[in-house]
Amino acid sequence: MPELPEVESARQVIDRYALGRVIAEVDDSDTYVCRPHTPGEIRSALLGRRLSAVHRRGKSMWCETTGVGRTRKPGPLLGFHLGMSGKIVVADRRGSEVDGGDYWERGRKPGDLRFARFRLTFADGGHLALIDPRRLGRVRLDPPVEKLGPDAAVVTRPEFQSAMSRGTIAVKARLLDQEALAGVGNLLADQALWAARIRPSRPVDELTPDDVDRLYDGVRESVADSLADGGVHTLSFFPARRAGGVCPRCGAALQVGVVGTRTTWWCPVEQV
DNA sequence: TATAGTGTTATCGG
DNA sequence: ACCGATAACACTAT
Protein backbone atom coordinates (compact mmCIF):
# COMPACT_ATOMS: atom_id res chain seq x y z
CA MET A 1 0.00 0.00 0.00
CA PRO A 2 1.61 3.10 -1.26
CA GLU A 3 3.32 5.90 0.55
CA LEU A 4 5.77 8.34 -0.98
CA PRO A 5 8.47 5.81 -1.96
CA GLU A 6 5.98 3.49 -3.62
CA VAL A 7 4.50 6.39 -5.56
CA GLU A 8 7.99 7.37 -6.67
CA SER A 9 8.67 3.89 -7.99
CA ALA A 10 5.35 4.01 -9.87
CA ARG A 11 6.42 7.36 -11.30
CA GLN A 12 9.66 5.82 -12.50
CA VAL A 13 7.78 2.99 -14.20
CA ILE A 14 5.68 5.50 -16.12
CA ASP A 15 8.75 7.57 -16.91
CA ARG A 16 10.65 4.60 -18.26
CA TYR A 17 7.94 2.59 -19.98
CA ALA A 18 4.95 4.75 -20.84
CA LEU A 19 6.26 8.11 -22.05
CA GLY A 20 6.07 8.74 -25.77
CA ARG A 21 3.48 6.09 -26.55
CA VAL A 22 0.39 7.26 -28.41
CA ILE A 23 -2.94 6.87 -26.62
CA ALA A 24 -5.38 4.96 -28.80
CA GLU A 25 -8.11 4.16 -26.28
CA VAL A 26 -9.07 5.17 -22.74
CA ASP A 27 -11.27 3.37 -20.25
CA ASP A 28 -12.46 6.01 -17.80
CA SER A 29 -15.77 4.33 -17.04
CA ASP A 30 -15.22 4.05 -13.28
CA THR A 31 -17.06 7.15 -12.17
CA TYR A 32 -15.81 6.97 -8.59
CA VAL A 33 -12.12 6.69 -9.39
CA CYS A 34 -12.43 9.24 -12.21
CA ARG A 35 -14.57 11.70 -10.28
CA PRO A 36 -15.50 14.46 -10.83
CA HIS A 37 -15.33 13.61 -14.53
CA THR A 38 -18.13 12.04 -16.49
CA PRO A 39 -17.36 8.88 -18.46
CA GLY A 40 -15.65 9.75 -21.74
CA GLU A 41 -14.40 13.12 -20.55
CA ILE A 42 -10.86 11.96 -19.86
CA ARG A 43 -11.01 9.78 -22.95
CA SER A 44 -11.82 12.58 -25.33
CA ALA A 45 -9.18 14.80 -23.74
CA LEU A 46 -6.45 12.22 -24.29
CA LEU A 47 -7.20 10.28 -27.46
CA GLY A 48 -4.44 10.66 -30.02
CA ARG A 49 -2.08 12.34 -27.60
CA ARG A 50 0.99 10.98 -25.84
CA LEU A 51 2.36 11.21 -22.31
CA SER A 52 5.42 13.42 -22.47
CA ALA A 53 6.61 13.76 -18.87
CA VAL A 54 5.65 12.52 -15.41
CA HIS A 55 6.02 14.30 -12.08
CA ARG A 56 5.43 13.54 -8.42
CA ARG A 57 4.72 15.68 -5.41
CA GLY A 58 4.04 13.83 -2.22
CA LYS A 59 1.74 10.96 -3.07
CA SER A 60 0.32 12.62 -6.21
CA MET A 61 1.58 12.03 -9.74
CA TRP A 62 0.70 13.74 -12.97
CA CYS A 63 1.64 13.37 -16.60
CA GLU A 64 2.08 16.08 -19.16
CA THR A 65 0.49 15.32 -22.50
CA THR A 66 1.32 16.57 -25.96
CA GLY A 67 -0.24 16.26 -29.38
CA VAL A 68 1.39 14.03 -31.96
CA GLY A 69 1.48 16.72 -34.62
CA ARG A 70 4.42 18.86 -35.55
CA THR A 71 3.51 21.47 -32.94
CA ARG A 72 3.38 19.00 -30.02
CA LYS A 73 0.72 21.17 -28.58
CA PRO A 74 0.54 20.79 -24.79
CA GLY A 75 -2.67 19.22 -23.57
CA PRO A 76 -4.28 18.60 -20.21
CA LEU A 77 -2.38 17.12 -17.28
CA LEU A 78 -3.37 13.58 -16.31
CA GLY A 79 -3.25 13.11 -12.55
CA PHE A 80 -2.98 9.84 -10.62
CA HIS A 81 -3.36 9.11 -6.94
CA LEU A 82 -2.86 5.52 -5.78
CA GLY A 83 -4.97 5.85 -2.64
CA MET A 84 -4.52 2.93 -0.29
CA SER A 85 -4.57 0.00 -2.70
CA GLY A 86 -3.55 1.44 -6.05
CA LYS A 87 -0.79 0.23 -8.31
CA ILE A 88 0.34 1.29 -11.76
CA VAL A 89 1.16 -1.39 -14.30
CA VAL A 90 2.49 -0.79 -17.79
CA ALA A 91 2.34 -3.53 -20.40
CA ASP A 92 3.86 -4.03 -23.81
CA ARG A 93 2.03 -5.25 -26.90
CA ARG A 94 2.15 -8.86 -25.72
CA GLY A 95 0.74 -8.01 -22.29
CA SER A 96 4.06 -8.44 -20.52
CA GLU A 97 3.94 -6.17 -17.46
CA VAL A 98 6.19 -3.97 -15.40
CA ASP A 99 5.13 -2.33 -12.15
CA GLY A 100 6.64 -0.41 -9.29
CA GLY A 101 7.68 -3.42 -7.26
CA ASP A 102 6.17 -6.15 -5.18
CA TYR A 103 5.30 -3.99 -2.23
CA TRP A 104 1.75 -5.23 -1.73
CA GLU A 105 -0.95 -7.38 -3.26
CA ARG A 106 1.31 -10.39 -3.28
CA GLY A 107 -1.52 -12.52 -4.56
CA ARG A 108 -2.02 -10.69 -7.82
CA LYS A 109 -0.81 -12.42 -10.94
CA PRO A 110 0.75 -10.35 -13.72
CA GLY A 111 -1.80 -9.52 -16.35
CA ASP A 112 -4.77 -9.76 -14.00
CA LEU A 113 -6.91 -6.76 -14.92
CA ARG A 114 -9.90 -7.62 -12.72
CA PHE A 115 -9.29 -4.55 -10.57
CA ALA A 116 -8.18 -2.21 -13.35
CA ARG A 117 -10.10 0.99 -12.59
CA PHE A 118 -8.57 3.08 -15.39
CA ARG A 119 -6.73 2.11 -18.52
CA LEU A 120 -4.87 3.77 -21.36
CA THR A 121 -4.41 1.55 -24.38
CA PHE A 122 -1.51 2.58 -26.56
CA ALA A 123 -1.37 2.48 -30.33
CA ASP A 124 1.31 -0.20 -30.08
CA GLY A 125 -1.17 -2.52 -28.36
CA GLY A 126 0.21 -2.18 -24.85
CA HIS A 127 -1.41 -0.36 -21.95
CA LEU A 128 -1.08 1.53 -18.69
CA ALA A 129 -3.55 0.56 -15.98
CA LEU A 130 -4.41 1.66 -12.48
CA ILE A 131 -5.04 -1.54 -10.51
CA ASP A 132 -6.98 -0.60 -7.41
CA PRO A 133 -9.18 -3.14 -5.60
CA ARG A 134 -10.55 -0.69 -3.05
CA ARG A 135 -11.14 2.11 -5.53
CA LEU A 136 -9.58 4.65 -3.19
CA GLY A 137 -7.26 5.84 -5.93
CA ARG A 138 -8.04 8.63 -8.27
CA VAL A 139 -7.50 9.65 -11.87
CA ARG A 140 -8.35 13.15 -13.00
CA LEU A 141 -7.46 15.86 -15.46
CA ASP A 142 -5.54 18.89 -14.25
CA PRO A 143 -5.29 17.80 -10.60
CA PRO A 144 -4.99 20.61 -8.04
CA VAL A 145 -1.35 19.89 -7.20
CA GLU A 146 -0.71 23.52 -6.28
CA LYS A 147 -2.68 22.90 -3.10
CA LEU A 148 -0.10 20.40 -1.88
CA GLY A 149 2.60 21.39 0.58
CA PRO A 150 6.28 20.95 -0.18
CA ASP A 151 7.37 17.42 -1.04
CA ALA A 152 8.65 15.57 2.02
CA ALA A 153 11.67 14.24 0.12
CA VAL A 154 13.01 17.71 -0.66
CA VAL A 155 11.39 20.04 1.89
CA THR A 156 13.80 22.59 3.35
CA ARG A 157 14.19 23.22 7.07
CA PRO A 158 12.51 26.66 6.93
CA GLU A 159 9.63 25.26 4.88
CA PHE A 160 9.22 22.48 7.43
CA GLN A 161 9.28 24.90 10.34
CA SER A 162 6.56 26.90 8.65
CA ALA A 163 4.50 23.75 8.06
CA MET A 164 4.68 22.84 11.75
CA SER A 165 3.75 26.31 12.98
CA ARG A 166 0.28 27.71 13.65
CA GLY A 167 -2.58 26.01 15.41
CA THR A 168 -2.93 23.48 18.17
CA ILE A 169 -3.40 20.26 16.21
CA ALA A 170 -1.53 17.08 17.19
CA VAL A 171 1.87 17.00 15.51
CA LYS A 172 1.12 13.69 13.81
CA ALA A 173 -2.10 15.05 12.33
CA ARG A 174 -0.10 17.98 10.93
CA LEU A 175 2.50 15.64 9.44
CA LEU A 176 -0.33 13.83 7.67
CA ASP A 177 -1.84 17.05 6.33
CA GLN A 178 -0.88 16.96 2.65
CA GLU A 179 -1.47 20.68 2.28
CA ALA A 180 1.13 21.36 4.96
CA LEU A 181 3.66 18.75 3.85
CA ALA A 182 3.13 16.36 0.94
CA GLY A 183 4.05 12.70 1.10
CA VAL A 184 4.07 11.63 4.75
CA GLY A 185 1.63 8.78 5.41
CA ASN A 186 0.74 6.91 8.56
CA LEU A 187 3.82 4.69 8.66
CA LEU A 188 6.30 7.40 7.76
CA ALA A 189 4.74 9.66 10.40
CA ASP A 190 5.16 7.06 13.14
CA GLN A 191 8.72 6.40 11.99
CA ALA A 192 9.71 10.07 11.93
CA LEU A 193 8.16 10.81 15.33
CA TRP A 194 9.88 7.79 16.84
CA ALA A 195 13.21 8.86 15.31
CA ALA A 196 12.73 12.36 16.76
CA ARG A 197 11.47 11.01 20.13
CA ILE A 198 8.29 13.05 20.01
CA ARG A 199 4.91 11.83 21.24
CA PRO A 200 2.51 11.86 18.27
CA SER A 201 -0.28 13.58 20.20
CA ARG A 202 1.83 16.61 21.18
CA PRO A 203 0.12 19.81 19.98
CA VAL A 204 2.27 21.63 17.44
CA ASP A 205 2.25 24.80 19.53
CA GLU A 206 4.01 22.89 22.32
CA LEU A 207 6.96 21.87 20.18
CA THR A 208 10.24 23.59 20.94
CA PRO A 209 12.50 24.76 18.11
CA ASP A 210 14.75 21.82 18.96
CA ASP A 211 11.80 19.41 18.68
CA VAL A 212 11.00 20.77 15.21
CA ASP A 213 14.64 20.45 14.20
CA ARG A 214 14.79 16.82 15.28
CA LEU A 215 11.48 16.11 13.58
CA TYR A 216 12.74 17.65 10.36
CA ASP A 217 15.77 15.37 10.51
CA GLY A 218 13.50 12.42 11.31
CA VAL A 219 11.23 13.10 8.33
CA ARG A 220 14.07 13.62 5.87
CA GLU A 221 15.94 10.57 7.10
CA SER A 222 12.85 8.33 7.10
CA VAL A 223 11.85 9.40 3.60
CA ALA A 224 15.39 9.03 2.27
CA ASP A 225 15.79 5.58 3.81
CA SER A 226 12.48 4.34 2.47
CA LEU A 227 13.28 5.68 -0.99
CA ALA A 228 16.70 4.03 -0.96
CA ASP A 229 15.43 0.72 0.35
CA GLY A 230 12.38 0.42 -1.84
CA GLY A 231 9.48 1.23 0.42
CA VAL A 232 8.01 1.96 3.83
CA HIS A 233 8.15 -1.72 4.75
CA THR A 234 11.90 -1.40 5.15
CA LEU A 235 11.69 1.27 7.87
CA SER A 236 13.29 0.33 11.17
CA PHE A 237 10.17 1.05 13.23
CA PHE A 238 7.85 -0.93 10.97
CA PRO A 239 8.42 -4.43 12.41
CA ALA A 240 7.76 -3.15 15.94
CA ARG A 241 4.43 -1.70 14.93
CA ARG A 242 2.24 -4.63 15.96
CA ALA A 243 0.66 -6.20 19.03
CA GLY A 244 3.40 -7.03 21.50
CA GLY A 245 5.91 -4.80 19.69
CA VAL A 246 8.70 -3.19 21.68
CA CYS A 247 10.79 -0.07 21.10
CA PRO A 248 13.77 -1.02 18.90
CA ARG A 249 15.99 1.29 20.97
CA CYS A 250 14.97 0.81 24.61
CA GLY A 251 12.82 -2.32 24.55
CA ALA A 252 9.81 -0.74 26.26
CA ALA A 253 6.40 -2.07 25.27
CA LEU A 254 4.97 0.17 22.54
CA GLN A 255 1.74 1.97 23.09
CA VAL A 256 -1.03 2.05 20.50
CA GLY A 257 -3.84 4.54 20.08
CA VAL A 258 -5.57 6.79 17.61
CA VAL A 259 -4.07 10.16 16.69
CA GLY A 260 -5.40 12.26 13.86
CA THR A 261 -7.91 9.45 13.12
CA ARG A 262 -5.12 6.99 12.36
CA THR A 263 -3.76 4.03 14.28
CA THR A 264 -0.58 5.20 15.96
CA TRP A 265 2.27 3.34 17.65
CA TRP A 266 4.85 5.02 19.85
CA CYS A 267 7.32 4.39 22.66
CA PRO A 268 5.81 5.76 25.89
CA VAL A 269 9.25 5.93 27.52
CA GLU A 270 11.22 7.83 24.90
CA GLN A 271 8.55 9.79 23.02
CA VAL A 272 7.45 12.57 25.35
C1' DT B 1 -16.11 -15.05 11.28
C1' DA B 2 -15.32 -10.33 12.49
C1' DT B 3 -12.50 -6.44 12.40
C1' DA B 4 -8.98 -3.13 11.11
C1' DG B 5 -6.47 -0.85 7.55
C1' DT B 6 0.10 2.25 4.69
C1' DG B 7 -5.51 7.55 1.89
C1' DT B 8 -8.34 11.38 0.56
C1' DT B 9 -12.38 14.21 0.53
C1' DA B 10 -16.55 16.24 2.12
C1' DT B 11 -19.45 17.44 5.77
C1' DC B 12 -21.09 18.32 10.39
C1' DG B 13 -20.70 19.95 15.09
C1' DG B 14 -18.23 22.22 18.81
C1' DA C 1 -10.93 29.74 11.60
C1' DC C 2 -9.62 25.64 13.64
C1' DC C 3 -10.10 20.98 14.99
C1' DG C 4 -12.13 16.36 15.84
C1' DA C 5 -15.21 12.93 14.29
C1' DT C 6 -17.63 10.46 10.67
C1' DA C 7 -18.78 8.47 6.27
C1' DA C 8 -17.71 6.90 1.71
C1' DC C 9 -15.00 3.84 -1.33
C1' DA C 10 -14.59 -2.24 -1.47
C1' DC C 11 -11.21 -5.49 -0.75
C1' DT C 12 -7.42 -8.13 1.93
C1' DA C 13 -5.10 -9.72 5.86
C1' DT C 14 -5.27 -11.38 10.37
Side-chain angles (χ1 to χ4, degrees), chain A residues 70-82:
Chain A
R70 193 169 305 204
T71 61
R72 293 201 195 169
K73 193 177 167 204
L77 302 178
L78 176 63
F80 294 99
H81 197 292
L82 302 182

Side-chain angles (χ1 to χ4, degrees), chain A residues 37-118:
Chain A
H37 300 295
T38 53
E41 206 175 338
I42 300 178
R43 176 180 183 274
S44 53
L46 297 182
L47 280 185
R49 314 185 70 86
R50 50 171 45 122
L51 307 180
S52 53
V54 56
H55 309 275
R56 180 192 59 76
R57 183 153 168 186
K59 291 174 272 198
S60 293
M61 287 185 287
W62 63 98
C63 296
E64 295 177 41
T65 65
T66 56
V68 293
R70 193 169 305 204
T71 61
R72 293 201 195 169
K73 193 177 167 204
L77 302 178
L78 176 63
F80 294 99
H81 197 292
L82 302 182
M84 208 129 93
S85 63
K87 167 175 190 152
I88 295 288
V89 301
V90 178
D92 66 15
R93 168 167 49 95
R94 289 153 39 197
S96 178
E97 272 186 0
V98 283
D99 62 42
D102 202 20
Y103 53 85
W104 75 284
E105 216 196 27
R106 290 178 295 260
R108 178 180 177 272
K109 297 199 177 91
D112 181 357
L113 294 176
R114 268 183 307 162
F115 297 122
R117 308 304 191 185
F118 176 83

Side-chain angles (χ1 to χ4, degrees), chain A residues 9-24:
Chain A
S9 70
R11 191 199 68 76
Q12 290 175 14
V13 166
I14 295 174
D15 190 286
R16 179 160 174 196
Y17 297 102
L19 297 191
R21 297 166 74 181
V22 175
I23 298 165

